[in-house]
Amino acid sequence: MKYTKLGNSDLNVSRICMGCMGFGDAGRGQHSWTLDEAHSREIIRRGLELGVNFYDTAIGYQSGTSEQYLGRALKDFAKRDEVMVATKFLPRTPEEIAAGISGIQHIDNMLNTSLKNLGMDYVDLYIYHMWDWNTPIEEIMEGLNRVVKAGKARYIGISNCFAWQLAKANAFAKAEGFAPFISVQGHYNLIFREEEREMVPYCEEENIALTPYSALASGRLSRLPGVNDTKRGAEDSYAKFKYDATAAVDNIIISRVAELAEKHAVSMTEVSLAWLLTRVTSPVVGATKLHHIEGAAKATDLILSEAEISYLEEAYVPHPLAGVMAQNKRTDAGKKHVWTTGDQPITECK
Protein backbone atom coordinates (compact mmCIF):
# COMPACT_ATOMS: atom_id res chain seq x y z
CA MET A 1 0.00 0.00 0.00
CA LYS A 2 1.13 3.53 -0.74
CA TYR A 3 0.36 6.57 1.44
CA THR A 4 0.05 10.31 0.94
CA LYS A 5 -0.86 13.49 2.79
CA LEU A 6 -4.53 14.43 2.67
CA GLY A 7 -4.44 17.90 1.13
CA ASN A 8 -3.43 20.68 3.52
CA SER A 9 -3.34 18.43 6.57
CA ASP A 10 -0.94 16.21 8.46
CA LEU A 11 -3.11 13.11 7.91
CA ASN A 12 -1.07 10.37 6.23
CA VAL A 13 -3.68 8.28 4.42
CA SER A 14 -3.59 5.17 2.26
CA ARG A 15 -4.10 5.74 -1.46
CA ILE A 16 -7.26 3.64 -1.14
CA CYS A 17 -10.02 4.68 1.26
CA MET A 18 -12.48 1.95 2.25
CA GLY A 19 -16.04 3.14 1.75
CA CYS A 20 -18.37 1.72 4.40
CA MET A 21 -21.76 2.49 2.86
CA GLY A 22 -22.15 -1.24 2.20
CA PHE A 23 -21.96 -2.05 5.91
CA GLY A 24 -24.93 -1.86 8.26
CA ASP A 25 -28.28 -3.34 9.23
CA ALA A 26 -30.15 -3.88 5.96
CA GLY A 27 -33.45 -3.38 7.77
CA ARG A 28 -32.60 0.11 8.99
CA GLY A 29 -31.84 2.36 6.08
CA GLN A 30 -32.02 3.21 2.41
CA HIS A 31 -30.25 0.06 1.13
CA SER A 32 -31.39 -3.56 1.14
CA TRP A 33 -28.06 -5.06 0.08
CA THR A 34 -25.74 -4.07 2.95
CA LEU A 35 -23.58 -6.55 4.90
CA ASP A 36 -24.29 -7.70 8.42
CA GLU A 37 -21.74 -7.05 11.14
CA ALA A 38 -19.87 -10.35 10.90
CA HIS A 39 -19.21 -9.97 7.17
CA SER A 40 -18.42 -6.27 7.54
CA ARG A 41 -15.75 -7.11 10.10
CA GLU A 42 -14.12 -9.56 7.68
CA ILE A 43 -13.82 -6.87 5.01
CA ILE A 44 -12.49 -4.26 7.45
CA ARG A 45 -9.96 -6.68 8.89
CA ARG A 46 -8.73 -7.62 5.40
CA GLY A 47 -8.40 -3.94 4.52
CA LEU A 48 -6.21 -3.38 7.56
CA GLU A 49 -4.05 -6.37 6.62
CA LEU A 50 -3.56 -4.84 3.16
CA GLY A 51 -2.46 -1.53 4.65
CA VAL A 52 -5.68 0.45 4.24
CA ASN A 53 -5.74 2.99 7.06
CA PHE A 54 -8.45 5.35 5.75
CA TYR A 55 -12.15 4.54 6.38
CA ASP A 56 -15.19 6.54 5.30
CA THR A 57 -18.67 6.19 6.78
CA ALA A 58 -21.66 8.43 7.60
CA ILE A 59 -24.45 8.78 10.12
CA GLY A 60 -26.87 8.45 7.21
CA TYR A 61 -25.65 4.95 6.26
CA GLN A 62 -28.21 2.46 7.54
CA SER A 63 -29.33 4.64 10.47
CA GLY A 64 -25.84 4.88 11.96
CA THR A 65 -25.21 1.11 12.03
CA SER A 66 -22.39 1.47 9.49
CA GLU A 67 -20.62 3.73 11.99
CA GLN A 68 -21.28 1.21 14.76
CA TYR A 69 -19.91 -1.75 12.79
CA LEU A 70 -16.82 0.20 11.73
CA GLY A 71 -16.11 1.52 15.21
CA ARG A 72 -16.33 -1.88 16.86
CA ALA A 73 -14.14 -3.53 14.20
CA LEU A 74 -11.43 -0.87 14.38
CA LYS A 75 -11.42 -1.07 18.18
CA ASP A 76 -10.78 -4.82 17.96
CA PHE A 77 -8.35 -4.89 15.02
CA ALA A 78 -6.39 -1.61 15.05
CA LYS A 79 -4.87 1.09 17.22
CA ARG A 80 -6.88 4.30 17.09
CA ASP A 81 -3.92 6.52 16.20
CA GLU A 82 -2.99 4.28 13.26
CA VAL A 83 -6.27 4.68 11.36
CA MET A 84 -7.94 7.70 9.79
CA VAL A 85 -11.70 7.76 10.23
CA ALA A 86 -14.05 10.01 8.29
CA THR A 87 -17.77 10.36 8.84
CA LYS A 88 -20.42 12.77 7.58
CA PHE A 89 -23.37 14.78 8.81
CA LEU A 90 -26.70 15.40 7.10
CA PRO A 91 -28.60 18.67 6.55
CA ARG A 92 -30.99 19.92 9.20
CA THR A 93 -34.42 18.33 9.09
CA PRO A 94 -37.63 20.39 8.76
CA GLU A 95 -38.41 19.38 12.35
CA GLU A 96 -35.11 20.81 13.58
CA ILE A 97 -35.66 24.02 11.66
CA ALA A 98 -39.16 24.37 13.12
CA ALA A 99 -37.75 23.78 16.61
CA GLY A 100 -35.20 26.55 16.17
CA ILE A 101 -32.14 24.29 16.21
CA SER A 102 -29.35 26.22 14.49
CA GLY A 103 -26.82 24.80 12.08
CA ILE A 104 -24.22 25.16 14.85
CA GLN A 105 -26.28 23.10 17.28
CA HIS A 106 -27.17 20.60 14.57
CA ILE A 107 -23.52 19.85 13.76
CA ASP A 108 -22.64 19.32 17.40
CA ASN A 109 -25.68 17.08 17.88
CA MET A 110 -24.84 14.95 14.86
CA LEU A 111 -21.16 14.60 15.68
CA ASN A 112 -21.97 13.61 19.27
CA THR A 113 -24.20 10.86 17.90
CA SER A 114 -21.57 9.72 15.40
CA LEU A 115 -18.88 9.59 18.08
CA LYS A 116 -21.17 7.48 20.24
CA ASN A 117 -21.85 5.17 17.29
CA LEU A 118 -18.14 4.86 16.53
CA GLY A 119 -17.11 4.50 20.18
CA MET A 120 -14.49 7.20 19.63
CA ASP A 121 -13.53 10.53 21.17
CA TYR A 122 -12.80 12.18 17.81
CA VAL A 123 -12.87 11.66 14.06
CA ASP A 124 -9.99 12.55 11.78
CA LEU A 125 -12.20 14.05 9.10
CA TYR A 126 -15.75 15.38 9.52
CA ILE A 127 -17.55 15.80 6.21
CA TYR A 128 -20.46 18.06 5.20
CA HIS A 129 -22.42 15.36 3.34
CA MET A 130 -24.56 17.47 1.01
CA TRP A 131 -25.26 21.17 0.59
CA ASP A 132 -28.00 22.39 2.91
CA TRP A 133 -29.86 25.23 1.19
CA ASN A 134 -31.90 25.85 4.35
CA THR A 135 -28.91 26.60 6.59
CA PRO A 136 -26.55 29.57 6.08
CA ILE A 137 -23.01 28.57 5.19
CA GLU A 138 -21.86 30.89 7.98
CA GLU A 139 -23.57 28.64 10.54
CA ILE A 140 -22.13 25.51 8.95
CA MET A 141 -18.58 26.84 9.02
CA GLU A 142 -18.87 28.16 12.57
CA GLY A 143 -20.33 24.86 13.75
CA LEU A 144 -17.53 22.92 12.10
CA ASN A 145 -14.89 25.26 13.49
CA ARG A 146 -16.26 24.73 16.98
CA VAL A 147 -16.00 20.93 16.79
CA VAL A 148 -12.44 21.23 15.47
CA LYS A 149 -11.49 23.58 18.33
CA ALA A 150 -13.16 21.20 20.79
CA GLY A 151 -10.99 18.32 19.52
CA LYS A 152 -13.93 16.29 18.28
CA ALA A 153 -12.73 16.50 14.65
CA ARG A 154 -9.17 17.00 13.46
CA TYR A 155 -10.09 18.34 10.02
CA ILE A 156 -13.19 18.99 7.94
CA GLY A 157 -14.19 18.00 4.41
CA ILE A 158 -17.13 18.48 2.09
CA SER A 159 -19.05 16.24 -0.31
CA ASN A 160 -21.50 16.73 -3.18
CA CYS A 161 -20.81 20.37 -3.89
CA PHE A 162 -19.91 22.64 -6.79
CA ALA A 163 -16.50 24.30 -6.97
CA TRP A 164 -18.10 27.71 -6.33
CA GLN A 165 -19.70 26.41 -3.13
CA LEU A 166 -16.39 25.08 -1.86
CA ALA A 167 -14.62 28.31 -2.79
CA LYS A 168 -17.30 30.40 -1.05
CA ALA A 169 -17.12 28.32 2.11
CA ASN A 170 -13.34 28.38 2.33
CA ALA A 171 -13.19 32.11 1.60
CA PHE A 172 -15.52 32.70 4.56
CA ALA A 173 -13.43 30.37 6.73
CA LYS A 174 -10.26 32.27 5.83
CA ALA A 175 -11.85 35.64 6.59
CA GLU A 176 -13.06 34.44 10.00
CA GLY A 177 -10.00 32.40 10.94
CA PHE A 178 -12.06 29.20 10.88
CA ALA A 179 -10.96 25.69 9.90
CA PRO A 180 -11.20 25.29 6.10
CA PHE A 181 -12.31 22.28 4.09
CA ILE A 182 -9.19 20.24 3.24
CA SER A 183 -10.88 17.58 1.11
CA VAL A 184 -13.82 17.12 -1.23
CA GLN A 185 -15.69 13.88 -1.86
CA GLY A 186 -17.45 14.16 -5.20
CA HIS A 187 -18.89 11.85 -7.83
CA TYR A 188 -15.94 11.02 -10.08
CA ASN A 189 -14.84 7.96 -12.03
CA LEU A 190 -13.84 6.90 -15.53
CA ILE A 191 -17.42 7.05 -16.86
CA PHE A 192 -18.45 10.18 -14.94
CA ARG A 193 -15.83 12.92 -15.29
CA GLU A 194 -17.84 16.11 -14.87
CA GLU A 195 -15.69 17.06 -11.85
CA GLU A 196 -12.90 17.83 -14.32
CA ARG A 197 -14.71 20.99 -15.49
CA GLU A 198 -14.01 23.10 -12.40
CA MET A 199 -13.57 21.03 -9.23
CA VAL A 200 -10.41 19.14 -10.20
CA PRO A 201 -8.41 22.19 -11.36
CA TYR A 202 -9.62 24.23 -8.38
CA CYS A 203 -8.50 21.55 -5.92
CA GLU A 204 -5.15 21.22 -7.66
CA GLU A 205 -4.66 24.98 -7.32
CA GLU A 206 -5.58 25.00 -3.61
CA ASN A 207 -4.06 21.61 -2.63
CA ILE A 208 -7.46 20.31 -1.57
CA ALA A 209 -7.58 16.52 -1.55
CA LEU A 210 -9.92 14.71 -3.94
CA THR A 211 -11.44 11.60 -2.36
CA PRO A 212 -14.20 10.68 -4.82
CA TYR A 213 -17.02 8.26 -4.16
CA SER A 214 -18.50 5.85 -6.72
CA ALA A 215 -14.93 5.17 -7.84
CA LEU A 216 -16.07 2.03 -9.69
CA ALA A 217 -19.47 3.40 -10.72
CA SER A 218 -21.36 1.05 -8.38
CA GLY A 219 -19.42 -1.90 -9.78
CA ARG A 220 -19.94 -1.09 -13.45
CA LEU A 221 -16.23 -0.46 -13.96
CA SER A 222 -15.27 -3.77 -12.36
CA ARG A 223 -16.98 -6.14 -14.82
CA LEU A 224 -18.49 -6.32 -18.28
CA PRO A 225 -22.24 -5.60 -18.55
CA GLY A 226 -24.30 -8.66 -17.63
CA VAL A 227 -21.33 -10.54 -16.15
CA ASN A 228 -21.39 -11.53 -12.47
CA ASP A 229 -24.27 -9.23 -11.58
CA THR A 230 -24.51 -8.41 -7.88
CA LYS A 231 -27.28 -8.00 -5.31
CA ARG A 232 -26.48 -4.29 -5.26
CA GLY A 233 -26.69 -4.11 -9.04
CA ALA A 234 -30.13 -5.68 -8.96
CA GLU A 235 -31.54 -3.72 -6.02
CA ASP A 236 -29.83 -0.33 -5.86
CA SER A 237 -32.32 1.94 -7.60
CA TYR A 238 -30.21 5.01 -6.87
CA ALA A 239 -27.21 3.57 -8.71
CA LYS A 240 -29.49 2.78 -11.63
CA PHE A 241 -30.65 6.40 -11.59
CA LYS A 242 -27.03 7.56 -11.82
CA TYR A 243 -25.84 5.26 -14.59
CA ASP A 244 -28.52 3.46 -16.62
CA ALA A 245 -29.40 6.45 -18.82
CA THR A 246 -25.84 6.71 -20.18
CA ALA A 247 -25.06 2.99 -20.39
CA ALA A 248 -24.70 2.94 -24.19
CA VAL A 249 -21.80 5.41 -24.26
CA ASP A 250 -20.34 4.21 -20.96
CA ASN A 251 -20.12 0.62 -22.19
CA ILE A 252 -17.59 1.67 -24.84
CA ILE A 253 -15.24 2.80 -22.09
CA ILE A 254 -16.00 -0.25 -19.97
CA SER A 255 -15.03 -2.51 -22.87
CA ARG A 256 -11.70 -0.69 -23.10
CA VAL A 257 -11.13 -1.24 -19.39
CA ALA A 258 -11.69 -4.97 -19.98
CA GLU A 259 -9.27 -4.91 -22.92
CA LEU A 260 -6.49 -3.34 -20.88
CA ALA A 261 -7.19 -5.64 -17.95
CA GLU A 262 -6.63 -8.63 -20.22
CA LYS A 263 -3.47 -7.04 -21.63
CA HIS A 264 -1.98 -6.51 -18.16
CA ALA A 265 -3.41 -9.77 -16.73
CA VAL A 266 -5.15 -7.85 -13.95
CA SER A 267 -8.74 -7.19 -12.94
CA MET A 268 -10.93 -4.46 -14.39
CA THR A 269 -11.04 -2.98 -10.89
CA GLU A 270 -7.28 -2.49 -10.99
CA VAL A 271 -7.36 -0.74 -14.36
CA SER A 272 -10.26 1.55 -13.44
CA LEU A 273 -8.72 2.57 -10.13
CA ALA A 274 -5.21 2.89 -11.58
CA TRP A 275 -6.64 5.51 -13.96
CA LEU A 276 -8.43 7.34 -11.13
CA LEU A 277 -5.30 7.29 -8.95
CA THR A 278 -3.55 9.43 -11.56
CA ARG A 279 -6.12 12.15 -10.84
CA VAL A 280 -7.04 12.00 -7.14
CA THR A 281 -5.59 11.59 -3.65
CA SER A 282 -7.53 8.60 -2.34
CA PRO A 283 -10.69 7.23 -3.98
CA VAL A 284 -13.41 5.89 -1.70
CA VAL A 285 -13.90 2.27 -2.74
CA GLY A 286 -16.81 0.28 -1.41
CA ALA A 287 -16.25 -3.39 -0.66
CA THR A 288 -18.79 -6.10 0.08
CA LYS A 289 -16.53 -9.05 -0.78
CA LEU A 290 -12.91 -9.76 0.11
CA HIS A 291 -11.80 -9.66 -3.51
CA HIS A 292 -13.20 -6.12 -3.83
CA ILE A 293 -10.73 -4.65 -1.34
CA GLU A 294 -7.95 -6.93 -2.54
CA GLY A 295 -8.36 -5.70 -6.11
CA ALA A 296 -8.49 -2.10 -4.94
CA ALA A 297 -5.24 -2.49 -3.01
CA LYS A 298 -3.50 -4.02 -6.04
CA ALA A 299 -4.51 -1.03 -8.15
CA THR A 300 -1.95 1.11 -6.37
CA ASP A 301 0.81 -0.93 -8.04
CA LEU A 302 -0.50 -0.74 -11.62
CA ILE A 303 1.04 1.97 -13.80
CA LEU A 304 -0.79 2.81 -17.03
CA SER A 305 1.07 4.39 -19.92
CA GLU A 306 0.06 7.79 -21.26
CA ALA A 307 -1.21 6.05 -24.40
CA GLU A 308 -3.38 3.72 -22.31
CA ILE A 309 -4.74 6.62 -20.28
CA SER A 310 -5.65 8.46 -23.47
CA TYR A 311 -7.27 5.32 -24.85
CA LEU A 312 -9.50 5.07 -21.78
CA GLU A 313 -10.40 8.75 -21.86
CA GLU A 314 -11.00 9.52 -25.53
CA ALA A 315 -14.43 7.87 -25.79
CA TYR A 316 -15.92 9.96 -22.97
CA VAL A 317 -18.79 12.31 -23.75
CA PRO A 318 -20.27 14.95 -21.40
CA HIS A 319 -22.85 13.61 -18.96
CA PRO A 320 -25.78 15.31 -17.26
CA LEU A 321 -25.46 15.66 -13.51
CA ALA A 322 -26.79 12.63 -11.68
CA GLY A 323 -27.35 11.50 -8.11
CA VAL A 324 -27.05 13.96 -5.24
CA MET A 325 -25.45 16.63 -7.43
CA ALA A 326 -28.49 16.70 -9.69
CA GLN A 327 -30.45 17.82 -6.64
CA ASN A 328 -27.95 20.45 -5.48
CA LYS A 329 -29.92 23.51 -6.48
CA ARG A 330 -31.79 26.21 -4.69
CA THR A 331 -35.18 25.13 -6.03
CA ASP A 332 -34.83 21.95 -3.99
CA ALA A 333 -34.65 23.86 -0.71
CA GLY A 334 -37.12 22.45 1.76
CA LYS A 335 -37.58 19.19 -0.12
CA LYS A 336 -36.74 15.82 1.37
CA HIS A 337 -33.04 15.02 1.18
CA VAL A 338 -31.71 11.79 -0.28
CA TRP A 339 -30.74 10.36 3.09
CA THR A 340 -32.18 10.71 6.55
CA THR A 341 -31.04 9.21 9.81
CA GLY A 342 -34.05 6.90 9.76
CA ASP A 343 -34.65 5.56 13.24
CA GLN A 344 -31.24 6.79 14.46
CA PRO A 345 -31.77 9.09 17.47
CA ILE A 346 -30.01 12.44 17.52
CA THR A 347 -28.26 13.38 20.74
CA GLU A 348 -29.67 16.59 22.16
CA CYS A 349 -27.33 19.55 22.35
CA LYS A 350 -26.31 20.25 25.94
Side-chain angles (χ1 to χ4, degrees), residues 2-304:
K2 297 179 174 64
Y3 301 86
T4 189
K5 291 295 182 185
L6 190 70
N8 295 307
S9 81
D10 63 358
L11 301 182
N12 198 37
V13 300
S14 50
R15 291 299 310 278
I16 296 296
C17 174
M18 182 181 289
C20 301
M21 189 175 74
F23 307 152
D25 186 340
R28 292 181 58 188
Q30 76 274 28
H31 297 309
S32 61
W33 45 268
T34 53
L35 298 184
D36 61 23
E37 186 161 11
H39 289 96
S40 300
R41 289 170 64 86
E42 289 179 10
I43 304 293
I44 295 165
R45 186 170 191 169
R46 184 61 178 138
L48 291 165
E49 291 170 351
L50 293 167
V52 175
N53 76 344
F54 191 16
Y55 294 82
D56 175 87
T57 185
I59 195 171
Y61 296 162
Q62 303 306 106
S63 299
T65 56
S66 171
E67 290 179 323
Q68 293 166 12
Y69 291 6
L70 176 65
R72 288 193 285 261
L74 291 180
K75 181 178 181 180
D76 289 343
F77 303 142
K79 295 179 180 179
R80 177 65 187 92
D81 61 357
E82 293 179 353
V83 291
M84 306 299 158
V85 177
T87 194
K88 313 179 193 73
F89 68 96
L90 293 164
R92 287 190 302 165
T93 65
E95 292 77 14
E96 286 176 298
I97 294 170
I101 296 174
S102 70
I104 297 168
Q105 291 173 307
H106 169 74
I107 288 169
D108 197 46
N109 293 346
M110 294 214 95
L111 183 51
N112 286 341
T113 303
S114 287
L115 291 175
K116 182 178 179 181
N117 286 339
L118 289 162
M120 297 176 179
D121 296 325
Y122 69 92
V123 292
D124 299 279
L125 185 67
Y126 198 41
I127 301 172
Y128 184 18
H129 204 155
M130 58 191 71
W131 196 264
D132 182 355
W133 287 98
N134 296 311
T135 303
I137 189 60
E138 294 82 4
E139 288 187 19
I140 296 294
M141 300 311 293
E142 183 172 351
L144 287 170
N145 189 62
R146 288 189 183 190
V147 297
V148 170
K149 289 184 68 175
K152 295 179 181 180
R154 295 176 67 187
Y155 295 95
I156 61 170
I158 191 169
S159 182
N160 296 304
C161 68
F162 293 109
W164 73 262
Q165 292 172 321
L166 174 55
K168 177 180 179 179
N170 272 0
F172 177 78
K174 183 177 181 180
E176 297 294 324
F178 289 170
F181 291 122
I182 58 100
S183 67
V184 59
Q185 189 177 129
H187 180 193
Y188 186 29
N189 57 52
L190 191 50
I191 58 173
F192 192 87
R193 292 168 48 201
E194 301 309 298
E195 290 285 79
E196 293 176 3
R197 295 175 184 269
E198 295 189 12
M199 185 62 80
V200 171
Y202 174 71
C203 288
E204 289 175 350
E205 179 72 15
E206 299 294 325
N207 193 32
I208 295 171
L210 291 161
T211 62
Y213 65 84
S214 204
L216 292 169
S218 300
R220 286 159 177 78
L221 284 164
S222 66
R223 61 185 181 275
L224 287 168
V227 176
N228 297 324
D229 286 339
T230 64
K231 180 177 175 66
R232 178 180 183 179
E235 298 180 8
D236 193 334
S237 59
Y238 203 67
K240 292 176 183 292
F241 165 59
K242 288 194 292 186
Y243 295 111
D244 280 6
T246 57
V249 291
D250 294 343
N251 287 345
I252 297 171
I253 298 170
I254 292 170
S255 68
R256 294 188 179 194
V257 172
E259 181 184 333
L260 291 184
E262 183 175 2
K263 173 185 172 182
H264 286 277
V266 298
S267 67
M268 290 176 64
T269 291
E270 290 167 71
V271 172
S272 298
L273 292 179
W275 174 84
L276 191 55
L277 284 164
T278 68
R279 301 290 190 267
V280 309
T281 304
S282 182
V284 178
V285 183
T288 53
K289 292 183 172 61
L290 290 175
H291 72 84
H292 293 166
I293 190 57
E294 290 166 350
K298 290 178 182 177
T300 61
D301 294 323
L302 177 62
I303 305 298
L304 300 174

